[in-house]
Each structure stands twice: as C-alpha cells, then as structure tokens.
Amino acid sequence: MSFVESLTLTFALLYAASLLYFSGQKWGGAIAFGLFSSALIATLYWPMLLAAVIAACLLGIIKRYFPNSINGELKINTLRELIHHGLAISMLLVAIQFSANTIMLKMGIEPWLMRPDVGDAFLPIAGGIELKAIITLGLWDQTHPAAAVMLTVVLLTGLLCKRAFCGWACPLGLAGEYLYKLRKRFVKRELLPPAWIDWPLRGLKYLLLLALIYIIAGMPSQAIPNYLNGNYHKIADLKMALFFITPGLITLACFAVILALAAWRRQGFCRYICPYGALLGVMSFLSPLKIRRNTQHCLIDSKGMKCDKCTRACPANIKVHQQITVRSDECQACMRCVAVCPKKASLTFSTRNGWQLSSTGLAVMLLTLLFAIPLFAYLNGFWVSQTPDGIRMYLIQHINAIGH
Ligand code: SF4
Ligand code: SF4
C-alpha cells in the first residue's frame, strides 16, 4: 500500500474513531480504537505504522486548535466539506502518483514511486468481473484485487446510506460543484432543463450502467479465469491511466461535454452521466436510511406557515417540503436540507421506525465503510496487485497490440 493510501486510511479511521469517542460514544470510540490498533499491528508494515503516527499527531494538533472538528459539534455543511475536500486532495495525490508510475513504466524506467492500488477503483468492469468470479467460481483475482474491494465498498455505502458516497466523498462531484459555482459567477441564472428533457437525460446514466452490467453478465463464468490471467486484465489500469494522460480528440471532446454538463447544472455529471451514480441510485432505494420530514414539527403542517427552505437548499432540486420520505435516487444524503431547516426535529436522516443518524454518525459510517473494508482486505492479502513491475513494463511497451 502506498504511503498516500496509508496516510489517508489511518487518518480517516482515527478521525472516525475520535468523532465517535469525543461526541459521547465513548465505548464505540474505544472499541474502534482497539480494533484499528490491532489491525495496524497485524499489518507489520512500517510505512502504515509511520502513517498512523503522523495521522495521530495531526489529529492531536486538530484537537488542540480546532476541538469542534473532533467533538461532533461541527456544522453539517462544514463537516461534509471537510471530509469531501480531504478525500479529494488524497485522490489527487493518488492520481499524480499513479500517473508518475505509469509514465516511468512507459519510458522503461524502473518506477521509484509505487502504484497506488486504490486507483483500481476506476476499473468498474474489472471489479464487476472479479466479484462475479468470487461468487460463481470462488476465484479471487490477484491482479487488481482493489477493484473488487472498492466496488463492494461503493455498493455497501449505497445500501446503507443512500448516495452519501456522491455527496460526501466523490472527487468528481466536488469538482463539479466548483465548476458550477464558477459558471454562476458569469451566468447567474439557473439553467434548469424542463422536466421532459431532464427525465430522459437522467436515464442516460442508467443506460451506461446497463451497458456495463451487460458486459459483466455477458462474460461466461468459464471464460473468467482466462480473462483474469490475460494480459489485457494485467494492464487494464495502465490503459485507463494512458487514456487520461494522453487523451485523443474524442476523449477531449467527451471531457468537454462532461465539464459543460457540470457547469450547466448543479450535479449535472452525477445526474446524467455517471454510471456509479446510477449504481448508487439503484442501491439507495434499498437503503433503510432516508431523509424524512416529520409533519408534527415541520412549520408547514404544524403552524400552517409557508416554508420551502429545505427545497431551496437541495442541490438535486428535490421538492423536500412536499414529501414525507425522500426516496429520490438523486438524493445524495448531503444533509443540506437538514442543515437549513429552522425546526431541527422536522427533517432527519432516519429509518422508517425512527432511528436517526446524525451528520457525525453518517461521517463515521461512511469513513468506516470506505477505509475499514480496504484495511481488512489488505490484511488478508487482497489489496495489492501481484503483477510485478517488470511484466507491467514489458506489457506497456506493447499496449496497442493487447486486446481482450
Ligand atoms: S434531499 Fe436533502 S440530503 Fe437529499 S440531496 Fe437534497 S438536500 Fe441533500
Ligand atoms: S425547511 Fe424544515 S420547516 Fe421548512 S418546509 Fe422544510 S422541513 Fe418543513
């Protein structure tokens, strides 16, 4: 595991445990600390132990100078933005390291920067095929194991906490927010398409998801071992990296469309194109946690007042003030609606029987899912690619000749 991954993982898990502990869940926090420390010791991997020491020192400094960011008293939007930006910075460093590793291999130089395995998260088809291999054949891929791990993580986040991954963790979602804000500086008007255009456009991401599922489901189980042992799979990540490092005209045109979409309407890329968004949207229907409006407290029903603050705060344009339960597949559990509601008991992120998850609880759940599962996978030898650099260097020299 690269140092950037180790530092992000240890910091995130220590932060989640601290949030639990200092927000009053002493036992939960102590157990989390205990489990995390045991897992760290079990790795016997000195860069991760060093990363943990650095992460603990950073948290100590944060606790000293910004105690609110650890004791669960941060405002909802501040907490979400803190986590979102932290993860985006980490992913940016991962992308730079991944690119540097790929360029060194391409130039025939023995890489002195290791490949961050979390980059395999951008191989959803490989991840899907690997999961299929595990389920149907009991076969655990050793070439890009992190792809299957990260796909599982994303699926679980959708199942448990709706599209919180999009709203709290996805770096592309955050980049889209900035593009949208930049566009709004020059063109103030909201450029929302009418519903008859919006609906079919929202269906696009589901078509893309169906295409990915078709590829994965269409591969017969007997053919999977060959695929996983083949050269194409070995360099799927390098093909992906070169696709971004040396984009062709068509790629640039696609990027331009994606950027224009993100700038045109808020969450445009997530809403219309992203197949991960579609996957999470489907999973989110199963999530027991949803935004729920309590009519006993909401100003509209309890006091007969006019209020639509929650709706106006919603980046997905969901009419929150007209719903009892927000079931929309576009809800990213960002909790902006909860943050602006003047009657605190009116809007909650809760289960049908009333169990509520605060923004701190959601942050802990999300960080634990995002990082504890990879740590567990790493401990069990299912994270680091077993393909030696020598083979990758040889294959990247012949990359254009290598097909499925
Ligand atoms: S309904 Fe609330 S939590 Fe869902 S996207 Fe809108 S503002 Fe965010
Ligand atoms: S912001 Fe709160 S009080 Fe106002 S409509 Fe929404 S849920 Fe009701």
Side-chain angles (χ1 to χ4, degrees):
M1 190 178 277
S2 69
F3 192 71
V4 178
E5 291 170 279
S6 298
L7 189 57
T8 311
L9 183 146
T10 50
F11 186 85
L13 288 177
L14 277 175
Y15 183 52
S18 309
L19 272 178
L20 258 185
Y21 187 85
F22 292 112
S23 62
Q25 306 287 328
K26 298 265 186 240
W27 274 106
I31 292 170
F33 272 122
L35 286 173
F36 178 55
S37 312
S38 320
L40 267 186
I41 293 165
T43 63
L44 291 175
Y45 180 53
W46 73 262
M48 194 179 286
L49 295 172
L50 176 64
V53 172
I54 295 174
C57 293
L58 283 174
L59 276 170
I61 295 169
I62 292 172
K63 171 95 179 77
R64 172 90 173 75
Y65 294 103
F66 309 98
N68 281 358
S69 32
I70 286 195
N71 60 16
E73 285 176 14
L74 264 193
K75 288 188 175 146
I76 295 174
N77 290 338
T78 314
L79 176 64
R80 188 192 59 253
E81 284 179 9
L82 203 73
I83 291 175
H84 214 163
H85 281 82
L87 293 177
I89 291 169
S90 166
M91 278 316 287
L92 182 66
L93 293 175
V94 161
I96 292 170
Q97 185 162 337
F98 207 107
S99 306
N101 178 279
T102 305
I103 291 168
M104 284 186 242
L105 287 173
K106 184 75 181 151
M107 293 171 70
I109 302 168
E110 185 74 32
W112 46 266
L113 265 177
M114 72 188 293
R115 189 190 85 106
D117 290 281
V118 71
D120 288 346
F122 292 90
L123 300 174
I125 296 180
I129 292 172
E130 289 170 27
L131 284 185
K132 186 172 171 181
I134 294 169
I135 294 165
T136 60
L137 305 169
L139 177 66
W140 296 70
D141 176 56
Q142 290 298 318
T143 304
H144 296 298
V149 175
M150 289 313 291
L151 186 58
T152 308
V153 166
V154 170
L155 286 170
L156 281 176
T157 63
L159 193 61
L160 293 176
C161 43
K162 284 195 70 88
R163 285 177 64 181
F165 177 84
C166 307
W168 290 66
C170 176
L172 295 179
L174 187 65
E177 276 288 308
Y178 277 109
L179 269 174
Y180 168 78
K181 282 182 187 156
L182 187 68
R183 193 274 289 166
K184 286 278 279 183
R185 285 182 130 200
F186 299 100
V187 183
K188 297 255 180 292
R189 275 182 52 211
E190 277 298 350
L191 304 172
L192 296 179
W196 63 271
I197 296 182
D198 187 51
W199 272 94
L201 281 180
R202 279 172 65 185
L204 266 180
K205 64 179 181 295
Y206 289 103
L207 283 180
L208 285 172
L209 175 65
L210 275 178
L212 296 184
I213 292 174
Y214 177 78
I215 294 170
I216 295 164
M219 181 178 280
S221 293
Q222 309 88 298
I224 292 179
N226 262 346
Y227 173 80
L228 295 181
N229 287 324
N231 288 338
Y232 183 84
H233 182 57
K234 285 196 176 76
I235 54 159
D237 58 325
L238 296 176
K239 277 189 179 274
M240 185 252 315
L242 289 176
F243 175 81
F244 288 108
I245 295 168
T246 54
L249 265 182
I250 296 177
T251 313
L252 286 174
C254 291
F255 285 161
V257 171
I258 288 170
L259 296 181
L261 257 181
W264 167 45
R265 83 156 286 167
R266 200 167 185 188
Q267 299 182 344
F269 172 69
C270 323
R271 191 176 181 94
Y272 299 138
I273 304 278
C274 181
Y276 262 126
L279 182 61
L280 285 163
V282 173
M283 298 304 290
S284 76
F285 285 118
L286 303 172
S287 167
L289 286 160
K290 291 187 170 58
I291 295 288
R292 294 175 205 270
R293 190 170 63 89
N294 186 328
T295 50
Q296 286 180 341
H297 296 283
C298 174
L299 293 174
I300 298 176
D301 307 82
S302 65
K303 298 250 170 35
M305 291 168 67
K306 279 191 176 168
C307 179
D308 64 351
K309 285 190 170 189
C310 45
T311 294
R312 279 186 282 133
C314 179
N317 292 101
I318 297 167
K319 302 239 174 295
V320 186
H321 74 294
Q322 294 174 357
Q323 304 194 16
I324 302 296
T325 302
V326 175
R327 298 185 199 281
S328 169
D329 56 334
E330 300 301 337
C331 174
Q332 300 191 353
C334 65
M335 292 214 186
R336 286 180 175 92
C337 51
V338 178
V340 295
C341 179
K343 289 281 285 176
K344 286 309 160 204
S346 298
L347 276 184
T348 50
F349 191 49
S350 51
T351 59
R352 198 204 297 238
N353 58 10
W355 185 75
Q356 296 180 18
L357 193 66
S358 65
S359 55
T360 304
L362 177 55
V364 171
M365 182 189 272
L366 193 61
L367 290 176
T368 306
L369 286 171
L370 284 176
F371 294 99
I373 297 171
L375 177 59
F376 181 76
Y378 177 76
L379 273 173
N380 287 284
F382 195 65
W383 180 260
V384 178
S385 172
Q386 299 303 317
T387 309
D389 274 346
I391 292 182
R392 290 163 58 76
M393 195 188 293
Y394 172 79
L395 290 175
I396 200 171
Q397 308 306 328
H398 305 86
I399 197 157
N400 292 330
I402 299 173
H404 312 107

